[in-house]
Each structure stands twice: as C-alpha cells, then as structure tokens.
Amino acid sequence: MNIDSVDFYYASMPEVTLEADGSQDALLVRVTADGHEGWGECEASPLTSIAAFITPRSHGVCQPVAASVIGERLDGPDDIHRIARLVARNSMDLLQAGHTWSGIEIALWDLLGKVRDEPVWRLLGYTENHAKLPYASMLMGDTPQETLDRARLARTNGFRAVKFGWGSYGTGTAAADADHVAAAREGLGDDAQLLIDAGQIWGDDVDAAIARLEALENAHATWLEEPFVPHAYVAHAALASRARTVGVAGGEGAHTVHMATNLIDYGGVRFIQVDAARIGGIGPSKAVADHAVRHGTTYVNHTFTSHLALSASLQPFAGLADHRICEYPVEPKPVALAISSNHILPDANGEVRAPEAPGLGIEVDLIGLLPYLRHVEISIDHERVYTSPEVPNKVSHVV
Amino acid sequence: MNIDSVDFYYASMPEVTLEADGSQDALLVRVTADGHEGWGECEASPLTSIAAFITPRSHGVCQPVAASVIGERLDGPDDIHRIARLVARNSMDLLQAGHTWSGIEIALWDLLGKVRDEPVWRLLGYTENHAKLPYASMLMGDTPQETLDRARLARTNGFRAVKFGWGSYGTGTAAADADHVAAAREGLGDDAQLLIDAGQIWGDDVDAAIARLEALENAHATWLEEPFVPHAYVAHAALASRARTVGVAGGEGAHTVHMATNLIDYGGVRFIQVDAARIGGIGPSKAVADHAVRHGTTYVNHTFTSHLALSASLQPFAGLADHRICEYPVEPKPVALAISSNHILPDANGEVRAPEAPGLGIEVDLIGLLPYLRHVEISIDHERVYTSPEVPNKVSHVV
C-alpha cells in the first residue's frame, strides 16, 4: 500500500474554558492507503498541529510533516517505524512535529490492523490482552470536605483507584495540601488506591515537593504525579531518593521516547505515564513500555480525551499483566464521547481492556461529531495552502 | 510599561531548498510597549510558530502564547522571567510554544535595553563584553579534495576556526569520513581549530559515533557536534567517556533550559551550544551559561541566520572571557542579511563581539525586507483569526 491522504478533523466544544480538562477539543486524523482507512488522534493544539503538517519548509531538516508521510509505502509495522524516522529527521527543527505525527502514527496502526484483521496489540507482538484497573481522575476540591465528598462519590461509582490533583494542590501551604490528601484517603477508605497529581506545579523546586511527602506517605498514596517540569530529571531524582512508600510518576509531557526513558534512567520515577497521542504514537509508546519492563518501572497510559485515544494508549501495554492500573476518562466533555460510536466500558469486575476488534477497534462517528467540527483555512500570499476536509458525502446527506 | 502588541514578520527566499541552511526564511517579532519597540527572532517554522501564538485555546494549560503576553507589565528583567513562567505554565501542552516565545522574549530584552539605554549584556549583569573568535560553518565536500579546497578557502578568508558537517558525513563508512576529516585538517593547516558537525546522523547509535573517534582525534578536532538526537543523554555520555582529546558538543535542539543543562549533567558534553531563538530566549540562555560556568563546560552560541539572531545569541555569554569561540553565519542567504541595516563584523583581529549600542544594537530594516515578506491569513469557521501585519506607513511610502 501507499499512503494516499492524511486528513485532519478539528472538533471542539462551543466554549473552551480554562479548566485543566484536555477533552474540550480534539484533533482527529484520518489516513487512507489503497482504499483502506485508519484513524488516530493528536493530544495537541489542533490549529498548531495542522500548521506543522502543511507549513512551507524552512530548510532540509525543518520540513512540514506531510513531506515525510504522503506517498510513503505502508506494508507493515517496519514501515511505520521507518516513516517515524523520516519525520524525526526531516522535521528535526519543527518542534510541533512530534505532536502532529502522533495522531498520524496511531492512524497508520489502525489502518494496518484493519487490513490484517488483527488488533494493534497483536501487531505489537503481544499474545494476550490483559485487563486493567481504571482509575478516575478528579480535581482536588476547593475545601478538604469537598475532596472527601468527591472521593466518596468515586467509590460509590465503583472506582477502586482515584486520582486527585490540580485545583489548589501545591499552590498553598504544605499543611493545606496535607488536609486534602488526608480527606481524599478518608473518603476512599483503606482499600482503594489514592493517586495525587501535582501538575508540574513546583517547576524544579525539590524542597516544595519534599514538604508534601510525609502527608502522602501517611495517606498511603501510590504515587505523586508530575511534581516538576518534564525535563527536570535532577529534581525528580532528588525527590525519588527521599520518597519511601510513595512513587514518583510522570511522563505525559514526553514528546520523544528518550524524554520518557530519561525519566526512568535519570529521574527515578516508579511510574512512567505515556500519552501515545503526544510521544509520537503507539510505536514509541511500546518502546517506552519495553524499557519500563527492563527497568522494573510500571507503565501507565495518560489519556484524558476520547476512547480512540484511550484505545491507542492501551495497546502499548495491553500484554503486560503486571502493569495493572490505567487512566480512564471519567467525565470527558461531550465532544470527546461524540468521536466514536462505541466506547471502552468497564466489565463486571470494573476493569477495562483494549478492544479485540481489528486495528484500534473504535468506530469513528463523523455524524456525531458534525456539531463540533471547526473549519480551518490558511493562506500564504493569498494562495490557499490549507482547507479543512469536507465531511464525506454519506455524512453530509444526513445533515 | 505594558505590552501593547506582538507582531510577526515572516520572510523567506523566493525558493526554499532542501539544503541544511536555516537562513532561508525567518520569523521576526516586533513587540511594542508604551510607544517603545523591541525586535526578536524565532529560529523556527514561521507558520507553525504564528499558529502557536494565536491558536484557540485547548484547555487551561494549552493556551496560545498570546494569552500570557499581551497586556503584561514590563518594567524590568524580572518581568521577562515572570512572563516566561506564565508561558511555560499556560502553554504547557502546546509544544511549539517554546519556539514562538523565544522570539518574543528576545524582543522584550531589546525593548528594555533601549528604554534603559543599555546593551542587553549589561542588563544580564555582565560588566564586560569580550571578543569572540568566530568560526565558519561549511558543508562537508562531496569528495575529500573538495573538503580540502573549502578548508583552504576558509583560511584564505581569515577564519581561524572552521566547522565542517552535514553533506555525506556520517552516512557512509567511517573510513570515508576519516578521509574527509583528514582533508579538512590538511586544508586548515595545524594552527586553526577544526570542528565537526554530525547533525544527529547517528540517532542514538553509540558504536557508529565511536567508529569516528580515532580519525577525529588524529586530526585534533576540537569537538564532534550533535552525534545524536538531543534527548539521548545515555548515548552522549557513553561517547564522552570514550573520547579523549575531542569534546562532545550539542544543545542547539534544546527548547528548555533543562534540556541543555541535562546535556551537561548527564550527557558529558564539553561544549554546550545554545540557540537563544529556540531555547526560550536570552534569559534561559544566560541560565545555561551560568550552569556551564559552574560545571566547567564551554558555552557556545548556535546561530545560522540573521545578525539580529546573532546579537541575541552573543548576549548570554558576552561577559565570559574564557568562552571564546562563537558561531558566525558566514554565507547566509540574502533574506537573512536584509533583516538589518547594520551587521556584526569581525574586527582587525578577526574577532566579533556583541554590540555596545542599547538593546541588541541591531537596526531592523523592514524596507530591505519587503521583497521577502510573506502574507499569512488564518480563518476558523470563516472568521479571520490572523492576518499578517501591514508594513508600517513610513516603509510603504518608500516602495
């Protein structure tokens, strides 16, 4: 097969707020090759990612992503890895390229899986598809009582692992944060996993993070996520060396494999959290998972958006029985749910797993997405260089 | 003062080739505050960087760069650092933001220097402005004889340090590369510094790089630049531990301070090469220079474009007498020279230094740039969200 087309569908809520909720918009990618179709998603700024695909070249290693993709051979996984190397080389100086490529790469796996009638996790070499324990991500409450109430609600809703973060966490005193963490534990009871997400709030201030450790360990928190900015390995390592029972977690900011493996090799994280829709897709995510297995680090997906992104993020560690916990979008915005007509739902045990269907096993629903689609046009010197794709005919007829 | 406006001027050669020559286009940034003006430059994909400035927000930490800049107070260097933290926070998930912000940050220093009637290097705390030895960057020849001829020409043109790279280097056999390196040394004679640039050609393949070491050391090369991709610290360290006389160099790909300091802390580089127009501007570059001084690493600018970018890249290490060598754009494309009416020229000793004039000391020449300017328009849902700025009246009249 040859890659014939790459189309971007930019969807968003009518109003996008300042919430730390990444499900408010989406950039879907459709790739076609010899009549076959695959879908992926970039967890990234839609307009900027589109620009990185079609921008005029700046020089030989600052080329648009399109230059390395359109027309390329696609006969198997090796071709995906080969095209990934092309993009990395030809778009070396185009920072956004990694985010743009991520959605395309995911679509290539989906396409290849459909052609071969295999789920992507089998194409990756896994022979089993293990159930994962989904955790619910929630905002820390405005008051400890609110945090406690939310924790209770999450238990009522059946979650055995819950993550709290953002909101006020890390911005006030360590004592105030300790109250929230204790409230979260109280609300969850003793038998649920408690995860805390600092959302990079301390930059690279190790002391600020260390000041929170005691409360986290008293509450038996499983991990402290993203205490620092993603490249601050020295800070991560300093914190990890002081932590006893709580593990340091991070990785969602990684846009290359090395950024994630460095967090393991130098940062001492116990949990490496990878967003396939940012790191360059499923292939790079699997490479990080392999590295994690070799180093005794637990792999966890990062997913806050659609079930297409969720499926993509589950594939790289579907076959790893011991890497049990998985991030699950609990309250995504309607646009994120509208992306697909099917969803990955918890089973009777409250567990989820990657689909068994070919490719990513997710049916993209352009009809459902129509109310959210946004139309982009870009001109240079009054010549149109980009127009959003028309929605396919069969969909248009429905409107 | 308050920041009133940020304007982008996208300029390019009529034809942009696949050469590894970053001077074929440019993204200039003009910032105004209370009637004052400053200029900066992004060493980045122009269209993509503009998109990152104006894109609709995706969520609270994936905001356009504009959201953290327009209307902000600007009374001194602390404000620049403060706005940098705002951008890092609010655009955490917008990968291109670092490149966009770099040009704005540089313009803020230029503006502040003009208001205070001080060169930027004084605002950074330096009391002296030391001369640097410029090195010429050249493509490796197609044959060793061509490389030898180019080396001789560079000496004839007065350069006492010359860098060869890209072209065929690293893509064929180690023996072929050795012939080129020996030819370069022969052409330069014994008393010039020879620098070799591998342009990330080996990815993270340490053995491929080690296979070139002997030839480099026989030719007394000062450094081997960018043997690997920027995040491959493990590979850099492995190579550094095997090198004796030749130093490992790198850093131009850094888009955060930590990316550069990690190359020092973990990668064992002896030369840290920073492009102010990519790493987030002059403030982050100075932070890397401080780190380099503390760790006995040599700071070098990376500059392949205009003299505005050159001035910006010289400021962060202007006061460091022992960090002597500097990258100097030897054969930039006409668009890069057209950006300014004045240029940083070698003195009688063949040395260059940062301007003594206020700000960056570079006069941007929109008249000269007119033939190269490109007009960008971006619409979302048929509403114009971006139009390139009109060229100021006084310039238009001249045309």
Side-chain angles (χ1 to χ4, degrees):
Chain A
M1 299 183 287
N2 280 62
I3 299 175
D4 294 317
S5 69
V6 176
D7 285 314
F8 293 91
Y9 295 87
Y10 170 14
S12 86
M13 296 298 292
E15 190 191 358
V16 174
T17 72
L18 288 174
E19 283 180 286
D21 175 355
S23 73
Q24 300 183 78
D25 68 7
L27 184 62
L28 286 181
V29 186
R30 184 180 63 173
V31 175
T32 64
D34 289 11
H36 302 282
E37 177 181 270
W39 287 91
E41 186 173 342
C42 307
E43 174 52 12
S45 165
L47 178 65
T48 316
S49 302
I50 289 169
F53 189 75
I54 55 94
T55 185
R57 72 163 79 114
S58 291
H59 54 83
V61 294
C62 192
Q63 296 186 57
V65 175
S68 306
V69 176
I70 301 293
E72 286 298 320
R73 285 300 293 172
L74 177 66
D75 293 324
D78 285 350
D79 283 315
I80 302 180
H81 301 311
R82 178 182 56 76
I83 302 169
R85 288 192 297 273
L86 275 182
V87 172
R89 179 86 196 153
N90 296 335
S91 300
M92 182 190 291
D93 289 345
L94 206 180
L95 195 46
Q96 190 73 16
H99 278 188
T100 302
W101 165 244
S102 294
I104 301 168
E105 204 259 15
I106 290 168
L108 293 176
W109 285 104
D110 186 43
L111 191 155
L112 205 57
K114 287 169 179 167
V115 169
R116 296 195 173 181
D117 202 26
E118 297 260 32
V120 171
W121 51 267
R122 281 199 189 273
L123 298 183
L124 294 175
Y126 290 129
T127 52
E128 295 201 64
N129 179 20
H130 293 285
K132 307 292 179 191
L133 180 69
Y135 72 78
S137 281
M138 323 200 82
L139 284 180
M140 201 70 92
D142 287 337
T143 62
Q145 182 62 44
E146 209 174 291
T147 298
L148 186 146
D149 292 342
R150 289 182 189 183
R152 282 190 176 140
L153 181 65
R155 283 315 305 269
T156 304
N157 290 339
F159 285 98
R160 287 176 278 159
V162 182
K163 187 168 84 180
F164 289 94
W166 297 81
S168 66
Y169 189 74
T171 62
T173 65
D177 288 344
D179 289 344
H180 276 281
V181 170
R185 171 51 76 199
E186 188 185 335
L188 290 185
D190 288 340
D191 58 341
Q193 288 195 55
L194 169 62
L195 319 164
I196 299 292
D197 184 356
Q200 305 185 17
I201 196 69
W202 301 304
D204 63 356
D205 181 350
V206 177
D207 290 339
I210 286 176
R212 272 76 179 184
L213 276 183
E214 192 180 342
L216 293 167
E217 303 208 324
N218 286 342
H220 308 294
T222 301
W223 75 51
L224 174 60
E225 175 175 337
E226 281 213 310
F228 309 119
V229 293
H231 286 111
Y233 307 125
V234 173
H236 280 85
L239 179 63
S241 74
R242 290 288 295 268
R244 290 160 305 177
T245 58
V246 66
V248 177
E252 69 180 82
H255 58 87
T256 71
V257 169
H258 288 107
M259 269 187 78
T261 58
N262 287 336
L263 268 173
I264 296 171
D265 297 343
Y266 298 119
V269 298
R270 267 186 237 167
F271 300 89
I272 186 74
Q273 305 169 295
V274 175
D275 197 319
R278 282 187 191 151
I279 200 171
I282 291 172
S285 302
K286 174 63 161 55
V288 175
D290 292 344
H291 192 86
V293 168
R294 285 194 296 273
H295 289 74
T297 305
T298 298
Y299 184 99
V300 191
N301 65 307
H302 172 267
T303 310
F304 216 82
T305 54
S306 75
H307 285 231
L308 183 68
L310 178 62
S311 176
S313 279
L314 286 172
Q315 308 291 335
F317 74 127
L320 303 179
D322 299 337
H323 302 237
R324 274 279 294 160
I325 200 167
C326 106
E327 185 167 39
Y328 185 84
V330 176
E331 293 177 317
K333 290 285 186 285
V335 63
L337 290 174
I339 284 172
S340 59
S341 54
N342 63 333
H343 299 90
I344 298 171
L345 301 176
D347 62 17
N349 291 326
E351 296 175 334
V352 298
R353 57 180 84 212
E356 298 282 332
L360 296 175
I362 298 293
E363 297 301 321
V364 169
D365 179 17
L366 279 182
I367 298 174
L369 206 54
L370 268 178
Y372 304 100
L373 285 179
R374 307 195 65 175
H375 188 77
V376 174
E377 295 168 318
I378 303 175
S379 298
I380 296 179
D381 294 342
H382 307 288
E383 194 173 299
R384 189 66 51 83
V385 295
Y386 180 78
T387 307
S388 288
E390 293 301 314
V391 177
N393 280 339
K394 60 175 180 179
V395 177
S396 301
H397 290 158
V398 174
V399 181
Chain B
M1 299 184 288
N2 280 64
I3 298 174
D4 294 318
S5 69
V6 176
D7 285 315
F8 293 91
Y9 295 88
Y10 170 15
S12 85
M13 296 298 293
E15 191 191 356
V16 173
T17 72
L18 288 175
E19 282 181 286
D21 175 355
S23 72
Q24 301 184 78
D25 68 6
L27 184 62
L28 286 180
V29 187
R30 183 180 64 173
V31 175
T32 64
D34 289 12
H36 303 282
E37 178 181 89
W39 286 91
E41 187 173 342
C42 307
E43 173 53 13
S45 165
L47 178 66
T48 316
S49 302
I50 290 169
F53 189 74
I54 55 94
T55 185
R57 74 164 76 114
S58 290
H59 54 82
V61 295
C62 193
Q63 296 186 57
V65 176
S68 306
V69 176
I70 302 293
E72 285 298 319
R73 284 301 293 172
L74 177 67
D75 294 324
D78 285 351
D79 283 316
I80 301 180
H81 302 310
R82 179 182 56 76
I83 301 169
R85 287 192 298 272
L86 275 182
V87 172
R89 180 85 196 153
N90 296 337
S91 300
M92 182 190 290
D93 290 345
L94 207 180
L95 194 46
Q96 190 73 16
H99 279 188
T100 302
W101 165 244
S102 294
I104 301 168
E105 203 259 17
I106 290 168
L108 293 175
W109 285 104
D110 185 43
L111 192 155
L112 205 58
K114 287 169 179 167
V115 168
R116 295 194 173 181
D117 202 25
E118 296 260 32
V120 171
W121 52 267
R122 280 199 189 274
L123 297 183
L124 294 175
Y126 290 130
T127 53
E128 296 201 63
N129 179 20
H130 293 284
K132 306 293 178 191
L133 180 69
Y135 73 78
S137 281
M138 324 200 81
L139 284 180
M140 202 70 92
D142 287 337
T143 63
Q145 182 63 43
E146 210 174 292
T147 298
L148 185 145
D149 293 342
R150 290 182 187 182
R152 282 191 176 138
L153 181 65
R155 284 313 307 267
T156 304
N157 289 339
F159 283 98
R160 286 176 277 159
V162 182
K163 187 168 85 181
F164 288 94
W166 296 82
S168 66
Y169 189 75
T171 63
T173 65
D177 288 344
D179 289 344
H180 276 281
V181 170
R185 172 51 77 198
E186 187 184 335
L188 290 185
D190 289 339
D191 58 342
Q193 288 195 54
L194 170 61
L195 318 165
I196 300 291
D197 184 356
Q200 305 184 18
I201 195 69
W202 300 303
D204 63 356
D205 181 349
V206 177
D207 291 339
I210 286 176
R212 272 74 181 185
L213 276 182
E214 191 180 344
L216 293 166
E217 303 207 324
N218 287 343
H220 308 295
T222 301
W223 75 50
L224 173 61
E225 176 175 337
E226 281 213 310
F228 309 117
V229 293
H231 286 112
Y233 307 125
V234 173
H236 280 85
L239 179 63
S241 74
R242 291 288 295 268
R244 290 160 305 177
T245 58
V246 66
V248 177
E252 69 180 82
H255 58 87
T256 72
V257 169
H258 288 107
M259 269 188 79
T261 58
N262 287 336
L263 268 174
I264 296 171
D265 297 343
Y266 298 119
V269 299
R270 267 186 238 168
F271 300 89
I272 185 73
Q273 305 169 294
V274 175
D275 197 318
R278 281 186 193 152
I279 199 171
I282 292 171
S285 302
K286 174 62 161 53
V288 175
D290 292 345
H291 192 87
V293 168
R294 285 194 297 272
H295 289 76
T297 305
T298 298
Y299 185 98
V300 191
N301 65 307
H302 172 266
T303 310
F304 215 82
T305 54
S306 75
H307 286 231
L308 182 69
L310 177 62
S311 176
S313 280
L314 286 171
Q315 308 292 335
F317 73 126
L320 303 179
D322 299 336
H323 302 239
R324 276 278 294 158
I325 200 166
C326 106
E327 185 167 38
Y328 185 83
V330 176
E331 293 177 317
K333 291 285 185 288
V335 62
L337 290 175
I339 284 171
S340 60
S341 54
N342 63 332
H343 298 90
I344 298 170
L345 301 176
D347 63 16
N349 291 326
E351 296 174 335
V352 299
R353 57 180 83 212
E356 298 282 331
L360 295 175
I362 299 294
E363 297 299 322
V364 169
D365 179 16
L366 279 182
I367 297 174
L369 206 54
L370 268 178
Y372 304 100
L373 286 179
R374 308 195 66 176
H375 188 77
V376 174
E377 294 168 318
I378 303 175
S379 298
I380 297 179
D381 294 342
H382 306 289
E383 194 174 297
R384 189 65 52 83
V385 295
Y386 181 77
T387 307
S388 288
E390 293 300 314
V391 177
N393 278 339
K394 60 175 179 181
V395 176
S396 302
H397 290 158
V398 173
V399 181

